[in-house]
Amino acid sequence: MDAKFLDILVCPLCKGPLVFDKAQQELICKGDRLAFPVRDGIPMMLETEARELPPEEEVK
């Protein structure tokens, strides 16, 4: 994912920064502990599309 594109994207809930997990193809919001999927290079930035990160899962 393009670094400039990542600089522009923020969490739709808290407006905080996102971290791209290349292996899982997800954008991670550390504040809300949500992972937004990236499908075919397109981030799915809807709360209903995001998965909640369980407490035991490490946030990178």
Side-chain angles (χ1 to χ4, degrees), residues 25-54:
Q25 289 292 297
E26 293 177 324
L27 290 167
I28 308 290
C29 175
K30 292 180 182 181
D32 290 324
R33 295 195 58 83
L34 291 174
F36 297 92
V38 177
R39 297 188 188 122
D40 298 321
I42 301 169
M44 303 291 132
M45 302 304 296
L46 299 172
E47 184 178 5
T48 56
E49 293 287 328
R51 73 176 176 93
E52 291 186 35
L53 298 173

Side-chain angles (χ1 to χ4, degrees), residues 7-29:
D7 288 340
I8 295 170
L9 282 177
V10 295
C11 175
L13 302 176
C14 71
K15 309 300 183 231
L18 298 168
V19 178
F20 182 56
D21 182 343
K22 190 172 185 174
Q24 296 288 332
Q25 289 292 297
E26 293 177 324
L27 290 167
I28 308 290
C29 175

